[in-house]
Amino acid sequence: MTDEEPEDSSGERGQAVVLDFLPHGRTEDDRPQYQKQPVAFALDTDEFRLYEMIVADDADIAIGDFFDIYEAPFAERVNAVEYDDLPSGAQSELDYAVEDVVEAEQQRFVDFYNEAQPITLRLHQLNLLPGIGKKLRNTILDERERQPFESFEDLESRVSGLHNPKETLVERILEEIKEDDLKYRTFARREE
């Protein structure tokens, strides 16, 4: 874990969603400064970074709450954490939170299909998505050249073989959050 000022790529304050709240702290944590202090775990909705927050005793927060991670009056200390640092409740909630973010910001993620670029001469950003090989990638590229995609439904109807474009993105985002050794990242940023 590291002390981290959460910031999105544009330098603006970032939104986050609460994944878990432990009002009595982490029972397995032997660090004196964390014993019996309320702690919450959150996901930055822009760069999909994970955070642990030591919160005030009277914090009025719940799982699923969205907040500005900089303006959260209940957060006394914010640390960036890795997936393996999350308690099991936060790990379970993560899948739902990512799906909710992708659904709520549909245009942002449809635009990924519209704007994805080659990474190397042989690899395209679209190929990083589960189930998208050369043929499906080329179909997506041809269709977006004719007309940009307007929604996940538009994508699914115009690209035969792409059965659930939203779920495909959610799966990739979760992979980027959970895996340490990925060579390419598109959605979830990691500390260098």
Side-chain angles (χ1 to χ4, degrees):
M1 287 185 264
T2 60
D3 284 338
E4 170 73 15
E5 283 259 337
E7 188 174 289
D8 68 24
S9 58
S10 65
E12 296 177 9
R13 298 180 189 278
Q15 286 289 307
V17 60
V18 176
L19 299 174
D20 201 1
F21 175 56
L22 307 174
H24 304 292
R26 295 180 84 158
T27 56
E28 75 280 2
D29 201 332
D30 58 358
R31 297 173 292 176
Q33 71 269 30
Y34 292 102
Q35 289 179 345
K36 299 187 182 181
Q37 281 192 297
V39 63
F41 296 87
L43 172 71
D44 174 315
T45 62
D46 183 49
E47 293 189 336
F48 296 101
R49 291 182 182 181
L50 298 168
Y51 294 99
E52 173 188 69
M53 301 176 298
I54 304 304
V55 298
D57 288 331
D58 61 348
D60 183 22
I61 59 172
I63 294 171
D65 285 354
F66 283 85
F67 63 95
D68 183 320
I69 202 158
Y70 277 113
E71 300 294 326
F74 54 80
E76 296 177 358
R77 182 176 176 158
V78 178
N79 299 313
V81 295
E82 300 298 327
Y83 176 77
D84 292 337
D85 296 325
L86 296 177
S88 60
Q91 288 181 357
S92 298
E93 187 64 25
L94 181 64
D95 294 18
Y96 302 110
V98 170
E99 189 171 333
D100 288 348
V101 169
V102 172
E103 182 68 34
E105 298 182 34
Q106 179 174 216
Q107 193 57 54
R108 168 184 165 194
F109 295 101
V110 169
D111 285 346
F112 170 77
Y113 284 101
N114 286 325
E115 299 166 1
Q117 297 295 313
I119 297 171
T120 67
L121 290 174
R122 295 179 184 236
L123 183 65
H124 197 281
Q125 283 181 313
L126 291 169
N127 294 119
L128 298 178
L129 300 177
I132 296 186
K134 184 178 178 181
K135 182 178 178 185
L136 197 50
R137 176 202 65 210
N138 290 341
T139 303
I140 293 169
L141 294 174
D142 290 345
E143 282 297 319
R144 80 180 193 188
E145 193 172 307
R146 288 186 184 96
Q147 177 181 340
F149 299 109
E150 296 178 10
S151 66
F152 290 132
E153 294 77 23
D154 184 28
L155 256 159
E156 197 167 352
S157 69
R158 290 173 45 199
V159 179
S160 176
L162 185 60
H163 302 294
N164 195 335
K166 178 179 90 172
E167 187 58 38
T168 300
L169 282 170
V170 168
E171 193 174 328
R172 177 60 191 189
I173 293 167
L174 288 169
E175 181 181 11
E176 290 185 19
I177 292 171
K178 294 175 182 181
E179 300 296 326
D180 288 332
D181 59 350
L182 291 178
K183 185 172 183 177
Y184 300 107
R185 293 181 180 279
T186 301
F187 302 102
R189 302 292 177 226
R190 293 283 233 189
E191 302 310 311
E192 299 297 323

